[in-house]
Amino acid sequence: MNPSPFYNVMRLAGLAGLTLMALLPFEAAFAQAAGIPAFNVSEGDGGATYSLSLQILALMTALTVLPSLVLGMTSFTRIIIVLSILRQAMGTQQTPPNQVLVAIALFLTLFIMAPTLTTLNNEVLTPYFDGAMPAEAALANGSEIMKRFLVQNTRVNDLIMFTEMMGDQPYASAEDVPLNVLLPAFITSELKTAFQIGFLLFLPFLVIDMVIASTLMSLGMMMLSPMLVALPFKLLLFVLVDGWAMTVGSLVATYSIT
């Protein structure tokens, strides 16, 4: 029986937490055997004394930044920015609401990341949880799989910029790019692409606003809000061209997901 999507997401979150802990100063403590107890008990004259394990401390630290790490390594940033700009361009205020936009962005992110998540599950998560792969090998293999996705969807100019800021030479392959260079380059590339797509989406709605405003001024209707009159025309245009399907399809097409 295939595991449920929720189970795979939880297993991916576990691997992401392991990856983050590998970047922390507690890497040496985490690399020890998995049988470290959560609390160490020492008997003394005054009774038992409990001290929190460094492994649990590293895990709690990882959980605080895990959402930012996961969102920063996926397509969520680009999608939510484009959808927010689209809503502002249409002038529909809070329609669709923020919860709907976040839900759309999350499901599109899962769709875009599906090949990468499948590869992670088959080559890293399943062997690791079955005990056939040690934690160090799982971290290394998982990082290589994520690097392939990040490099394929990062602009070369942004990657070169952060490489030069680090004082390194151009890297020969995607496996040679360190995460401390690749992650900020990927985020910067995502922001640039998102605003470019948002600009193209904004133009037709801006033209409608200008035409409506000019028409109202020529008719002397100064007290009538151009945004109120333009809203139904923008909604009609968006529906006629099947705007949601075009927007979602264009967003997915901007990614290399193979």
Side-chain angles (χ1 to χ4, degrees):
M1 180 182 298
N2 294 328
S4 64
F6 178 77
Y7 180 68
N8 289 334
V9 171
M10 294 300 297
R11 295 175 69 182
L12 177 62
L15 180 62
L18 293 177
T19 305
L20 181 60
M21 283 189 288
L23 303 177
L24 297 175
F26 304 110
E27 179 180 6
F30 177 72
Q32 296 177 359
I36 299 178
F39 293 91
N40 296 325
V41 182
S42 59
E43 297 292 340
D45 296 336
T49 302
Y50 297 87
S51 61
L52 189 63
S53 170
L54 290 180
Q55 183 179 3
I56 301 300
L57 180 60
L59 178 61
M60 297 302 295
T61 304
L63 291 177
T64 59
V65 295
L66 183 59
S68 299
L69 180 66
V70 173
L71 298 181
M73 298 175 65
T74 63
S75 57
F76 183 86
T77 302
R78 182 189 303 185
I79 296 173
I80 193 64
I81 290 177
V82 171
L83 294 180
S84 300
I85 294 177
L86 175 62
R87 183 179 64 179
Q88 185 177 2
M90 294 177 62
T92 54
Q93 302 300 325
Q94 293 298 320
T95 304
N98 294 330
Q99 294 85 346
V100 175
L101 293 184
V102 172
I104 296 174
L106 284 175
F107 286 122
L108 286 179
T109 300
L110 290 176
F111 178 80
I112 293 171
M113 299 295 298
T116 302
L117 297 181
T118 302
T119 304
L120 277 173
N121 182 65
N122 296 336
E123 299 182 6
V124 177
L125 292 176
T126 300
Y128 173 73
F129 285 106
D130 291 342
M133 180 182 297
E136 293 82 359
L139 291 174
N141 295 342
S143 298
E144 296 302 326
I145 294 174
M146 289 304 303
K147 279 183 180 180
R148 288 199 294 267
F149 171 81
L150 296 176
V151 170
Q152 289 176 356
N153 297 281
T154 302
R155 295 175 181 269
V156 178
N157 294 335
D158 296 327
L159 189 58
I160 293 176
M161 178 185 68
F162 282 96
T163 301
E164 294 177 349
M165 292 174 63
M166 284 291 296
D168 295 339
Q169 298 296 325
Y171 302 102
S173 62
E175 291 75 13
D176 298 333
V177 183
L179 286 176
N180 62 334
V181 173
L182 184 55
L183 288 179
F186 176 75
I187 290 295
T188 304
S189 178
E190 289 290 282
L191 291 175
K192 183 176 181 179
T193 304
F195 277 92
Q196 287 179 344
I197 298 175
F199 171 76
L200 296 177
L201 290 175
F202 215 106
L203 284 180
F205 298 108
L206 180 62
V207 172
I208 294 177
D209 287 334
M210 295 176 62
V211 171
I212 296 298
S214 301
T215 303
L216 292 178
M217 289 185 62
S218 63
L219 295 177
M221 299 179 180
M222 302 297 182
M223 303 301 295
L224 188 60
S225 172
M227 295 183 60
L228 182 62
V229 178
L231 179 58
F233 291 97
K234 291 190 287 187
L235 292 177
L236 178 63
L237 173 65
F238 197 70
V239 171
L240 289 178
V241 300
D242 199 4
W244 285 113
M246 292 180 59
T247 303
V248 171
S250 300
L251 281 172
V252 175
T254 57
Y255 282 94
S256 175
I257 58 178
T258 56

